Amino acid sequence: MPLHPQVQAMHDRLERDNVPNLYTLGIEEARAADVKSAVVTGTTEPVAEIREFTIPGPAGRLDARMYRPADAGPLPVLVYFFGGGWSLGTLDTSDAVCRMLTNAAHCVSIAVSYRLAPEHKFPAAIEDCYAGTAWIAAHAADLGLDATRLAVGGDSSGGNLAAAVALAARDRGGPALKHQLLVYPNTDYQADTDSMREATDQHFFNPNAVAWYWGMYLASEQDGANPLASPLRAGDLSGLPSATVITAEFDPLRDEGELYAKRLDQAGVAAEIIRYDGMMHGFFTMVGILDTARTAVTAAADRLARAFAG
């Protein structure tokens, strides 16, 4: 299919204004541009309560932001990790999505920060995300949450981290998870797929950008082979929580995300793939400018609500 008209209009603006791709910038400039983009493309949907707090992490305090709906508790909880190639992004990056998921899924969403690359290489981010998830589960009662209904989620590198947290939780004896929401996740640092070869548009996410982010995140190829970096390389995917995997047609990560869902299914884990044609990588968080983004977030919330009810 061609690009969705709203995506084509975005592409035309990027081309007209000669906007540089983030991977062509220095890291600090890229971080500033990424945060600015999140503000422009998001939207502020009110929730009943927002609370900022910190969580003890392996190497210091982790910033967290809790979004609570008007529903009476104790409530199910989604721990959400923002995207940005493990090197960009803040809690504001996922603000619009967390607000929507909170209201639509009738759950508490908690966005947890993590140490960024290249200053902090793998496994810093995954260890922070796992520690944040485990702490939330252990303190659920104090937070008005139901620890028996706990999910993880994230987009792009955040989806990668959510998948890794699910693997770590299984292998480390908890916490128990009900669901994993994986939005166009990285699953293999050396993916050689049709979508990786086809997504060459220089105005959108492309293989050059993928390589740039992996290069900042990993210290070595050996790290890239670790399932906590490349979940698709895990030898055993059984015993993991059910999954919703959202992908975009024009995304180099499309195929590796869908391959991960298929491998989960083969391992006996319920996994649903929802592909959005005409969309590019990054669309999910653009709820302020893309109608399909709002559709996708609503679909994700529906899957979360079903998992929490199961």
Side-chain angles (χ1 to χ4, degrees):
M1 290 182 63
L3 289 173
H4 185 283
Q6 289 179 323
V7 175
Q8 184 65 56
M10 181 187 303
H11 180 278
D12 293 345
R13 287 194 300 272
L14 293 170
E15 187 171 53
R16 180 197 67 208
D17 297 339
N18 197 29
V19 177
N21 203 306
L22 293 178
Y23 73 86
T24 67
L25 305 175
I27 185 61
E28 293 305 329
E29 192 178 0
R31 284 171 176 164
D34 180 65
V35 170
K36 181 179 178 181
S37 175
V39 173
V40 171
T41 58
T43 185
T44 302
E45 182 175 306
V47 295
E49 179 188 357
I50 294 179
R51 174 185 164 193
E52 309 267 356
F53 61 105
T54 62
I55 292 171
R61 307 293 296 186
L62 305 173
D63 291 331
R65 183 180 297 163
M66 180 165 60
Y67 303 80
R68 188 179 295 275
D71 307 65
L75 294 171
V77 58
L78 167 69
V79 182
Y80 197 90
F81 310 116
F82 56 79
W86 308 281
S87 55
L88 315 179
T90 69
L91 295 181
D92 292 334
T93 304
S94 59
D95 183 72
V97 162
C98 285
R99 289 169 181 267
M100 287 189 65
L101 290 172
T102 294
N103 288 332
H106 300 281
C107 71
V108 169
S109 296
I110 301 179
V112 175
S113 66
Y114 49 90
R115 286 171 288 168
L116 298 178
E119 297 89 343
H120 304 283
K121 300 282 190 179
F122 171 86
I126 167 60
E127 293 301 338
D128 286 353
C129 292
Y130 175 77
T133 304
W135 186 92
I136 289 166
H139 294 80
D142 296 336
L143 297 170
L145 310 175
D146 181 356
T148 69
R149 294 183 291 164
L150 172 65
V152 291
D155 57 279
S156 193
S157 59
N160 164 276
L161 292 168
V165 167
L167 284 166
R170 179 198 64 182
D171 295 342
R172 299 177 186 181
L177 301 176
K178 292 285 285 187
H179 197 68
Q180 48 184 326
L181 171 62
L182 311 179
V183 182
Y184 35 73
N186 309 71
T187 64
D188 186 355
Y189 86 113
Q190 285 189 332
D192 182 18
T193 61
D194 288 344
S195 64
M196 188 66 72
R197 290 184 288 271
E198 293 165 358
T200 58
D201 194 306
Q202 293 305 298
H203 296 289
F204 288 146
F205 194 61
N206 59 55
N208 291 326
V210 175
W212 185 63
Y213 289 118
W214 277 117
M216 286 189 288
Y217 185 46
L218 301 176
S220 68
E221 286 200 8
Q222 289 76 15
D223 283 345
N226 189 315
L228 294 183
S230 298
L232 193 58
R233 294 180 175 237
D236 178 14
L237 296 180
S238 64
L240 291 169
S242 62
T244 299
V245 179
I246 291 175
T247 62
E249 181 183 10
F250 296 102
D251 181 358
L253 305 186
R254 181 196 70 206
D255 291 350
E256 63 192 84
E258 294 180 0
L259 282 169
Y260 191 63
K262 291 171 183 175
R263 280 211 48 213
L264 286 170
D265 184 71
Q266 292 166 0
V269 176
E272 180 180 8
I273 299 168
I274 311 176
R275 181 194 292 188
Y276 288 91
D277 290 334
M279 291 292 113
M280 77 302 187
H281 187 86
F283 85 95
F284 187 77
T285 57
M286 298 180 181
V287 293
I289 61 173
L290 295 179
D291 295 338
T292 304
R294 300 187 69 82
T295 299
V297 174
T298 300
D302 175 69
R303 271 53 176 196
L304 282 168
R306 284 194 226 167
F308 289 142

